[in-house]
Amino acid sequence: MDDRVPEDILIVVFGNVLAFESIEWPLPSYNKECARAPFTLAAVCSRWRHLVTQTSNLWSYFGFPSEETQHEKHLYRLELLITNSKNAPIDVVFNWRASSQCKFEDTPASFDIITKLHMMCPRWRYAEIEYKSDHLKCSLGSRQLHDFEAPFLESLVIIFRGHVPQLPKAPRLRQIFLDSDASDVSFISPLQHPSLVRLIIWSQKFTYSQPYCANHAQQLTYLCIIDDMYHSGNWEFPRLVSLTLDDPLFIDKITAPLIERLAINCSDLNNMSRDAVQHFAHRAPLLTHLVLWGTIRSLITLEPFKSTRTVVFQRPAAVTKAFGPARCYHLQPQVLEELNEREDDIVVWPNLERITFGQHSRSKGARCGIIVDDVLSFIETRNSGRVATAQVSVAADFPGSAALFGKHTDVVQTLS
């Protein structure tokens, strides 16, 4: 029956099976199915083996698991990938955290793997690399990454400990996730990366990266900055749509007239000036979506965001990448009271249409900070017509979500 299917149709089907998509960028990680797929298809029959080995883009996934063993096996697989992929663009996922404890001169296979992957930098389309910088020096020798040009590169996740190398010229590069303890990350130039629109920085010394953000301010539409910031002067982001800040205390220094989504850590809201928020909100008339995490004691400081229509209590994916799997937030009971009605007639977010209590941490000792009765009271009051109407969504793992769903099916939806 296989002989009846035209070869071009089979190749399209194979391509869909082997498609590598970073849906939750920057969280793709190693995909065992993608790594095994071309070998599995080639083992079905002689016709399939011929088609698969002759179609270079079916061998474009260069993913390696986070392990320090069986380097010889991975080196052999890499050589087959290089041969069969010919000159096709490739997706590289190389995350060997364990390698920081080994010496590459004592493991020739691992040294060869890193060297070969770097020498194929001109073919990178998606790249996620994580290891210490001295490993890079061992593999490249006298050559540097900036000596290469990566015309296909569109997405880059780079996690380094130590000196961060200058990146290759990549005219199509659209998004970068940088995690580094380097003292200088001003190595990315708008001239080298004119298409960059999404940037995530998690640097323990972010002060040194501020000039870089300023250089790209005119083109960025998505910006996420994780870690403490010490900034003087004003930033203008004329195209920015989404902003995530772990330290929002300098928010009044930012001008982003097109911003629609703001995600912030609320743990330091008590130290945040309401006037500063008012200043930012006045210059962000399109802001309708708030994502809040951390210890949330009060929302009065955020009251100036009067156009807010959607509020989500949950860490965004970019923050989870930096801080680990925990997605906790802690709401004090008075927060929901503030969203209902206040004696001094201050209405927090009068246009609120939807509030979501997202997934919370399952780690030991973590708790979401509110109980079912508090949410029920909020629903009943907020939907009474005295302030505004609001739809409430509760994550499936929220404590008591079954009770919520059962009692208020008209206004509560449980998220899958």
Side-chain angles (χ1 to χ4, degrees):
M1 184 175 181
D2 167 62
D3 294 337
R4 303 176 186 175
V5 181
E7 292 187 355
D8 55 341
I9 300 298
L10 277 176
I11 292 175
V12 172
V13 173
F14 293 162
N16 290 331
V17 171
L18 296 168
F20 169 72
E21 296 183 1
S22 175
I23 299 176
E24 296 184 27
W25 184 88
L27 304 173
S29 69
Y30 170 70
N31 190 314
K32 182 183 293 187
E33 287 71 26
C34 285
R36 290 182 174 180
F39 299 94
T40 302
L41 292 175
V44 171
C45 63
S46 59
R47 184 185 182 218
W48 281 28
R49 180 163 57 255
H50 174 75
L51 284 176
V52 172
T53 55
Q54 295 301 312
T55 307
S56 59
N57 64 335
L58 299 182
W59 301 84
S60 61
Y61 181 74
F62 286 54
F64 297 88
S66 301
E67 61 182 31
E68 200 175 349
T69 60
Q70 301 181 325
H71 289 160
E72 292 290 346
K73 179 187 72 174
H74 293 307
L75 177 59
Y76 176 70
R77 180 167 64 91
L78 175 59
E79 291 173 343
L80 287 176
L81 291 172
I82 293 175
T83 300
N84 292 332
S85 64
K86 301 179 178 63
N87 294 318
I90 62 176
D91 301 315
V92 177
V93 178
F94 184 82
N95 182 350
W96 279 7
R97 299 179 183 179
S99 297
S100 62
Q101 301 176 358
C102 72
K103 296 181 180 180
F104 284 115
E105 58 266 31
D106 297 330
T107 55
S110 60
F111 173 85
D112 288 344
I113 288 174
I114 294 179
T115 300
K116 292 179 183 294
L117 288 177
H118 283 139
M119 296 306 292
M120 287 188 293
C121 176
R123 293 173 53 193
W124 289 359
R125 176 175 53 196
Y126 173 92
E128 177 182 350
I129 51 178
E130 176 175 358
Y131 43 76
K132 293 175 65 176
S133 60
D134 54 349
H135 302 159
L136 180 68
K137 296 177 183 178
C138 293
S139 64
L140 288 179
S142 60
R143 300 197 67 179
Q144 300 295 327
L145 279 179
H146 64 79
D147 293 331
F148 296 97
E149 182 171 350
F152 304 111
L153 186 60
E154 298 179 1
S155 181
L156 177 64
V157 177
I158 182 168
I159 303 174
F160 268 74
R161 294 297 169 260
H163 175 69
V164 181
Q166 296 218 2
L167 300 184
K169 181 179 180 181
R172 298 176 62 181
L173 183 61
R174 294 183 55 81
Q175 52 191 21
I176 293 178
F177 175 95
L178 172 67
D179 174 0
S180 173
D181 59 359
S183 61
D184 183 7
V185 293
S186 59
F187 48 80
I188 313 174
S189 165
L191 298 178
Q192 301 285 341
H193 312 108
S195 300
L196 186 66
V197 293
R198 292 170 58 88
L199 175 64
I200 298 177
I201 292 183
W202 185 34
S203 174
Q204 298 177 16
K205 299 178 180 179
F206 180 78
T207 304
Y208 296 91
S209 67
Q210 293 175 14
Y212 165 65
C213 287
N215 289 339
H216 283 275
Q218 298 299 311
Q219 63 195 70
L220 290 177
T221 61
Y222 178 101
L223 177 62
C224 174
I225 300 174
I226 307 302
D227 220 326
D228 295 336
M229 295 193 60
Y230 305 93
H231 178 69
S232 60
N234 298 316
W235 282 357
E236 294 187 9
F237 297 95
R239 300 182 181 180
L240 197 66
V241 175
S242 177
L243 175 64
T244 299
L245 296 174
D246 186 53
D247 178 9
L249 298 182
F250 78 110
I251 196 171
D252 59 323
K253 304 292 184 181
I254 295 179
T255 300
L258 299 183
I259 191 170
E260 300 175 1
R261 174 186 178 276
L262 176 65
I264 58 174
N265 185 347
C266 294
S267 298
D268 292 330
L269 276 183
N270 288 344
N271 300 324
M272 192 171 174
S273 167
R274 188 169 179 271
D275 291 338
V277 175
Q278 180 70 54
H279 188 68
F280 176 84
H282 179 71
R283 295 177 294 179
L286 302 181
L287 180 62
T288 59
H289 192 111
L290 289 179
V291 179
L292 311 176
W293 78 94
T295 301
I296 306 170
R297 300 180 179 87
S298 174
L299 296 175
I300 297 301
T301 304
L302 300 179
E303 182 271 334
F305 296 129
K306 298 183 182 299
S307 58
T308 299
R309 296 183 181 276
T310 300
V311 175
V312 178
F313 295 103
Q314 180 174 330
R315 279 181 177 173
V319 181
T320 303
K321 172 73 175 182
F323 288 106
R327 292 168 288 186
C328 61
Y329 53 89
H330 186 96
L331 288 178
Q332 299 290 343
Q334 64 268 22
V335 170
L336 295 179
E337 295 177 5
E338 292 174 353
L339 285 176
N340 286 332
E341 195 171 27
R342 292 181 58 82
E343 296 179 358
D344 52 6
D345 294 329
I346 295 180
V347 177
V348 179
W349 308 326
N351 296 311
L352 185 65
E353 296 177 351
R354 183 180 181 87
I355 183 169
T356 298
F357 299 97
Q359 294 173 309
H360 66 93
S361 173
R362 297 175 183 269
S363 60
K364 183 177 180 180
R367 55 198 181 100
C368 64
I370 53 179
I371 59 178
V372 170
D373 289 342
D374 294 327
V375 182
L376 291 175
S377 175
F378 164 76
I379 295 171
E380 293 169 351
T381 305
R382 191 74 182 189
N383 288 276
S384 66
R386 286 180 292 171
V387 180
T389 59
Q391 182 181 23
V392 180
S393 299
V394 182
D397 69 345
F398 183 88
S401 59
L404 281 173
F405 188 72
K407 292 183 179 181
H408 291 262
T409 55
D410 55 334
V411 292
V412 181
Q413 295 180 346
T414 301
L415 302 180
S416 59

